[in-house]
């Protein structure tokens, strides 16, 4: 994230919005944009691509919470949501939807910076975990394709697993490609030939 964060603050109350802006300005350098109309959040997020979204809503319904969460893009940036009170299950729903911080008992400007820091840290941790999970899934899929290709080579040539893998690896080196790419091409070609 850049050193000077851009923040969209969703706050319909003008006085509260001014307190939040003052608290953020006291805490560091931020590009701050205040959105009073919650229905305009998605457009502001799309137009300005903020680094962080802070939402202050008194008592959200489940539908309102889902709309605000989706509009703020919680998988693309940290989202901190402040509510005055929360019905059963809403905090879990918000966290499952990707909200980085769900704070009950409203937004207090003096607590803003530590909560913002925690939301950013949590978002980065989940972002790293999502990347690691995607990499693990990709590696597993490649392993499956390589195993299928090895099995095809073993049956076609009557050789063992190590020899089949050595053939795949040599072919990949000769072509300047990855073993998984060569295996995928072999499996695809075999599928076309029936």
């Amino acid at each position: 994230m850049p050193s000077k964060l851009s923040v969209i603050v969703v706050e319909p109350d003008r006085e509260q919005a001014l307190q939040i802006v003052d608290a953020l300005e006291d805490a560091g350098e931020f590009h701050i944009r205040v959105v009073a109309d919650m229905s305009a959040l998605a457009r502001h997020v799309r137009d300005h691509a903020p680094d962080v979204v802070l939402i202050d809503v008194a008592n959200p319904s489940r539908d309102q919470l889902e709309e605000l969460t989706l509009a703020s893009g919680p998988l693309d940036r940290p989202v901190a949501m402040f509510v005055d009170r929360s019905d059963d299950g809403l905090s879990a729903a918000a966290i499952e939807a990707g909200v980085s911080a769900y704070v009950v008992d409203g937004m207090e400007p003096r607590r803003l910076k530590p909560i913002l820091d925690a939301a950013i840290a949590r978002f980065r941790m989940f972002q790293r975990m999502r990347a690691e999970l995607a990499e693990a899934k990709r590696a597993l899929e490649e392993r499956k394709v390589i195993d299928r290709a090895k099995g095809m080579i073993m049956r076609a040539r009557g050789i063992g697993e190590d020899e089949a893998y050595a053939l795949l690896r040599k072919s990949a080196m000769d072509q300047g490609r990855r073993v998984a790419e060569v295996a995928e091409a072999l499996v695809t070609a075999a599928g076309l030939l029936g």
Side-chain angles (χ1 to χ4, degrees), residues 144-161 164-165 167-168 182-194:
K144 288 179 183 176
V145 169
I146 290 170
D147 286 345
R148 286 184 63 197
K150 282 190 307 188
M152 293 167 61
I153 294 170
M154 290 165 62
R155 283 189 298 278
R157 295 204 173 193
I159 59 177
E161 183 176 352
Y165 184 75
L167 274 176
L168 272 176
V182 172
E184 178 71 38
L186 178 62
V187 169
T188 300
L192 291 174
L193 295 174

Side-chain angles (χ1 to χ4, degrees), residues 7 26 52 54 60 85 97 127 160 177-179 181:
V7 180
D26 288 346
V52 181
L54 300 179
R85 52 175 238 181
Q127 199 174 35
R177 299 168 67 189
R178 298 175 51 239
V179 172
E181 293 172 346

Side-chain angles (χ1 to χ4, degrees), residues 71-108:
S72 58
L75 298 181
D76 300 323
R77 65 191 51 80
V79 175
M81 187 171 288
F82 298 83
V83 298
D84 288 343
R85 52 175 238 181
S86 183
D87 293 335
D88 286 344
L90 280 184
S91 59
I95 296 300
E96 286 176 11
V99 170
S100 301
Y102 186 82
V103 181
V104 179
D105 204 18
M107 181 188 294
E108 288 186 31

